[in-house]
Amino acid sequence: MTGDSPQRDGTPGLRPDRPAAASDQPARPGLHSLTAGRGMLFGGDYNPEQWPEEVWVEDVALMRAAHVNLVTVGVFSWARIEPEPGTRDFGWLDRVLDLLHDGGIAVDLATPTASPPPWLGHRWPETLPVDESGHRLYYGARNQWCPSSPIYRERALALVTDLADRYADHPALAMWHVGNEYGQVCHCDDTAAAFRGWLRERYGDLATLNEAWGTTFWSQHYGQWDEILTPRRAPYLRNPTQMLDFQRFCSDALLAHYRAERDILRRRTPSVPVTTNFMGFFKPVDYWAWAPHEDVVANDWYPFPGDPRSPVRAALTHDLMRGLAGGGPWMLLEQATDGVNWQKHNLPKPAGQFRLESLQAVARGADGLCYFQWRASRFGAERYHAAMVPHAGADTRLHTRVREHGAELRRLAPLVGQPVPARVALVHDWQSWWACESDGRPSDRLLVTDQLLRFYEPLWRRGVTVDLVPPGAELSGYRLVVVPNLFLLSDATAESLTSYVRDGGVLLVGPFSGVADPLGHIHTGRFPAPLREVLGASGEAWLPVADDPPLRCRWIADAEQRGDADAPAGTVPDPSPTGVEFTATIWSELMRAESARPVATFLDGDLAGAPAVLRNEFGTGRAWYLATVPQEAAMVALTDRVLADAAVTGVLPDLPDGVEAVRRGDTLFLLNHGAGPARVTLTEPAGELLTGDRVEGALTLAPRDVVVLKPLA
Ligand code: GAL
Ligand code: ZN
């Protein structure tokens, strides 16, 4: 995700609006309608409005040579189509679509509503967004629209209607792309009025709202609806429930706009799928609430070349997309062939890097691999952003690699639609994320996405595939459920986790979970109140950890736990292979074991002797609780013990460091993210899909290489 728009660090969201039951709705077309007959989708954002028409002809020829079969057109073309209010200039777009169609290239046609022309903000300044300080943001960049502006809405929908009418029957039209990377936040008066409407629906009356927001605190009582504002900039910490509700509202308001455009498109073209591009773990928008409204789940993914954790973040993000797609295929709609332009120091990608990233997405369920953008812009704010055709043209190393990648993707057509099986679920919730990271909390170092990564990374290293699921998801098919952080926990979710363990599941819960109710009010009594029974443990204080002196912990040996040094090994494997002690960082909790047994205890300070890791036998399952943030090696050791409890193993034993292993259908992907060659021993002979070679025994992967192995019958 880029850092260009103010809304990216904004707020917002809403509870999943469940999709209508299959019986009252005709089935929606999905990604299959695009991949059928085309195989893996390959292409990029195409912005022909930036180029003279001669270049379009060359573009189509080059696209064909590179095996491009899908391009996204028109994302930023509002001013080109409607140069003055109410006019329409579709002629150029007709020619672009005809040319692409003649070249056999399908079109993901965008509604150009992400960037209104200057005339909209000039004539109707109230359509421009206002930041939390009350400052208006102007045109001259992009995204300058207010999600609650009736004028913006009217103008956008009128254009979408005409676009849909114009191209409904165009043979190039394969998918609709609504807007771009939704994330706008506004604090204007229209938004305040819409927020009040949303609150009236949620709470009914002011007394209920006052109670929900806890307005007896700091004299915040509201006597009239009109007094309520969006959480604008204020002298000191703002009301956390007001902030949380505003985050919910913002995600909802954007979704309402997306749905309004989508409904117009669906009415006119019921068999054409509709999508918009997500941005991975993008905080302001609750993608669990959005996903049921998408026909195709699509993501934009821009890893930082200098970040050693990029491959793990990528895997986690791709697994989220697969989860949002209900386990089905999804597509990568934007990525970069090389450096981007929106970081301070834009590192390039070494040879093989974009291919490795692209194939990683395929391994984790993507059926489409597209880039931003096809041809590098000569002008405008993104003229230094990498593309599939660089400024230097097609006779370049980069474009040659693009072509080669397009060609090899054709060999992966048999994988289209194949599932990615997982026995482990990782729970993530946007609402809890918003609530957990409110201002004025015990530590701003305990971040939800960091926690997700800390729990995910050891599983990734072991080649254990993980599904990302929302709270309340059906868990019975999983052997292990991991909850890195669910600060905000409803009774229903607590009950679903509890019965999952009662019925034999293995659960691993991270710290600062089960703390608050859906209003963000803290549960009183020993914590985590809603999970106390299943965890067999309870706590009384959250204690952020100083950097120095270190807070040490110690694994407790099996035999020691049973108080019987001679007994045979039990179900808990031996203590950490990495050593008996480990260091706790960032966070600790004063816990007490009830029916649970301590698996590790704190050694230092006030916490000396208190449990740091606990394990509880409950029903026919087991629940683990982690009352701190252990350093990395201890997370690996803990994960190994929990995996052993759940009888889950990776797709390949003994994976070398940096090698990612994941199975899609029956095909095994091995991806070497490491800096050196890696030797991997296979368990069965296989055919390599990209080269056609037969491989058996051990093989060596060069850095950034990928092998795709189909077992030989
Ligand atoms: C995306 C955006 C594209 C382009 C790209 C650059 O966030 O959707 O339009 O700006 O970033 O990396
Ligand atoms: Zn506004």
Side-chain angles (χ1 to χ4, degrees), residues 2 8 76 142 180-181 277 300 302 334 340 342 372 382 385:
T2 56
R8 292 190 190 222
F76 298 108
R142 66 176 185 191
N180 194 55
E181 296 190 332
N277 41 351
D300 295 351
Y302 292 98
E334 285 185 31
V340 296
W342 40 263
F372 181 86
E382 294 185 322
H385 195 288

Side-chain angles (χ1 to χ4, degrees), residues 389-409:
V389 181
H391 294 134
D395 179 18
T396 47
R397 190 171 74 170
L398 181 70
H399 186 69
T400 306
R401 288 176 185 157
V402 167
R403 272 192 194 185
E404 287 166 2
H405 187 49
E408 74 177 343
L409 282 174

Side-chain angles (χ1 to χ4, degrees), residues 411-486:
R411 308 193 70 132
L412 298 183
L415 288 174
V416 165
Q418 292 292 311
V420 179
R423 305 309 303 269
V424 178
L426 190 77
V427 186
H428 173 62
D429 182 24
W430 261 265
Q431 310 223 3
S432 177
W433 185 7
W434 299 329
C436 180
E437 294 183 0
S438 69
D439 291 339
R441 59 193 187 275
S443 167
D444 67 2
R445 299 193 197 170
L446 190 75
L447 293 170
V448 170
T449 45
D450 287 355
Q451 286 296 86
L452 282 170
L453 208 64
R454 284 193 183 102
F455 282 80
Y456 182 85
E457 183 161 2
L459 295 161
W460 180 86
R461 283 176 183 230
R462 293 287 181 251
V464 171
T465 311
V466 173
D467 280 347
L468 271 280
V469 301
E474 174 59 50
L475 300 175
S476 56
Y478 296 106
R479 290 208 187 135
L480 170 62
V481 173
V482 181
V483 176
N485 177 274
L486 275 184

Side-chain angles (χ1 to χ4, degrees), residues 9 36 124 157 166 184 193 366 433 530 534 569 578 662 671 707:
D9 27 295
W124 291 285
L157 297 188
R166 181 91 181 186
Q184 280 72 11
W433 185 7
V534 66
T578 56
V662 58
L671 305 108
V707 292

Side-chain angles (χ1 to χ4, degrees), residues 126-130 136 145-149 185-192:
E126 63 271 44
T127 61
L128 295 168
V130 171
R136 228 171 246 301
W145 57 276
C146 164
S148 301
S149 160
V185 173
C186 185
H187 288 266
C188 71
D189 293 341
D190 280 341
T191 303

Side-chain angles (χ1 to χ4, degrees), residues 555-638:
W555 294 110
I556 303 171
D558 243 12
E560 198 178 325
Q561 280 195 36
R562 287 189 306 269
D564 168 12
D566 302 324
T571 43
V572 182
D574 280 333
S576 161
T578 56
V580 179
E581 285 180 15
F582 64 89
T583 304
T585 64
I586 301 175
W587 187 268
S588 64
E589 296 178 352
L590 175 54
M591 297 293 297
R592 177 166 79 200
E594 289 163 353
S595 54
R597 279 166 178 264
V599 177
T601 51
F602 293 104
L603 286 180
D604 298 313
D606 253 6
L607 281 173
V613 182
L614 295 124
R615 176 175 173 273
N616 190 38
E617 309 272 340
F618 181 77
T620 50
R622 288 181 193 130
W624 292 72
Y625 186 69
L626 185 53
T628 185
V629 179
Q631 57 187 166
E632 215 177 301
M635 276 310 282
V636 172
L638 171 69

Side-chain angles (χ1 to χ4, degrees), residues 54-74:
E54 317 77 87
V55 178
W56 305 354
V57 177
E58 189 198 346
D59 283 332
V60 173
L62 288 175
M63 286 176 190
R64 288 175 60 90
H67 303 284
V68 164
N69 54 16
L70 179 76
V71 289
T72 298
V73 177

